[in-house]
Amino acid sequence: MQEPFDRLVRAMDEWCARSNHVQTVFGQIGDPKPGGYVPRNFECISRLSASEYAKRFAEADVIVSHAGMGSIITAMHHGKPILIMPRWAKLGEHRNDHQLATVRMLGDRPGIHVAEDETRLGPMLDRVLAEIGGARHAPIAALADSRFTDALRAFLTGQVPRT
C-alpha cells in the first residue's frame, strides 16, 4: 500500500487554481491520512475499479503520477505522455528513494517528463500541455521483443545464446 502523496496532490491543486486550463483534471489520490491534503480545485477519488481506471486513462491527454513503474509502463503502453514526480523517503513518502533513480534513468525518454519536485510540477505540466497538441507517442508493445526474452532466458538458465 502506498503512502499518501500530498506534495503531488497539493501541487496539482495549486496548478488548477492558478492556471487557465481548459482540461478536465481528475485524480485517483488514494486515502489521505487524517489531516492529509484534500484538493479543492479538481475532482478526485481514492480508488477506482479496474474498468473505470482504464476508461479514465484512455480519456486522458496527459498522465500526472508519482514515479511508479506501473504508471509509467501503462502510459507508455497507451502512448500517453506522462509527467512524473518522485516520492522522497526523507519526507516519509516512500521507504527508499528508488523513484529518484527512476526519474534519472527514464526522464530523457520520449513521452516521459519529470518534475523533480513540487515547484517544478506546474511549469512542466504547462510545457507538456503546450507540446502535445493532440500528438501521441507510439505505444510500446505489450510483449517484449523475442531477442530480449531469448537472451534473458539464456542468461537465467546459464546457456550461451546462439548467434
Side-chain angles (χ1 to χ4, degrees):
M1 185 67 174
Q2 293 285 341
E3 292 294 319
F5 197 10
D6 287 351
R7 198 164 47 93
L8 174 64
V9 174
R10 184 184 315 274
M12 276 302 302
D13 201 33
E14 290 170 0
W15 178 85
C16 288
R18 72 175 175 269
S19 75
N20 293 325
H21 72 283
V22 294
Q23 298 81 7
T24 300
V25 177
F26 174 82
Q28 177 180 310
I29 64 169
D31 292 320
K33 287 187 174 181
Y37 189 81
V38 178
R40 294 178 296 278
N41 299 297
F42 68 89
E43 178 187 357
C44 66
I45 192 167
S46 61
R47 302 217 189 297
L48 292 168
S49 67
S51 62
E52 182 64 18
Y53 181 86
K55 177 181 177 289
R56 294 279 190 167
F57 206 97
E59 293 171 349
D61 291 324
V62 176
I63 307 302
V64 178
S65 175
H66 68 122
M69 286 308 300
S71 299
I72 295 167
I73 290 169
T74 302
M76 291 176 72
H77 177 72
H78 290 282
K80 302 277 183 173
I82 186 167
L83 171 55
I84 55 175
M85 189 172 101
R87 293 174 182 264
W88 293 351
K90 70 182 179 184
L91 298 177
E93 296 166 341
H94 221 309
R95 63 191 167 280
N96 61 40
D97 283 327
H98 71 277
Q99 289 193 1
L100 292 171
T102 299
V103 299
R104 282 187 211 112
M105 293 296 294
L106 299 178
D108 62 349
R109 302 215 179 217
I112 300 176
H113 308 273
V114 173
E116 292 86 0
D117 61 43
E118 65 277 16
T119 66
R120 296 179 180 142
L121 188 119
M124 182 57 77
L125 183 53
D126 289 335
R127 184 174 142 205
V128 172
L129 288 169
E131 286 177 5
I132 62 169
R136 293 281 184 254
H137 295 278
I140 61 171
L143 300 174
D145 184 282
S146 63
R147 292 173 296 175
F148 172 75
T149 57
D150 290 347
L152 181 60
R153 183 178 299 105
F155 174 77
L156 293 173
T157 61
Q159 300 172 359
V160 176
R162 296 180 190 154
T163 56

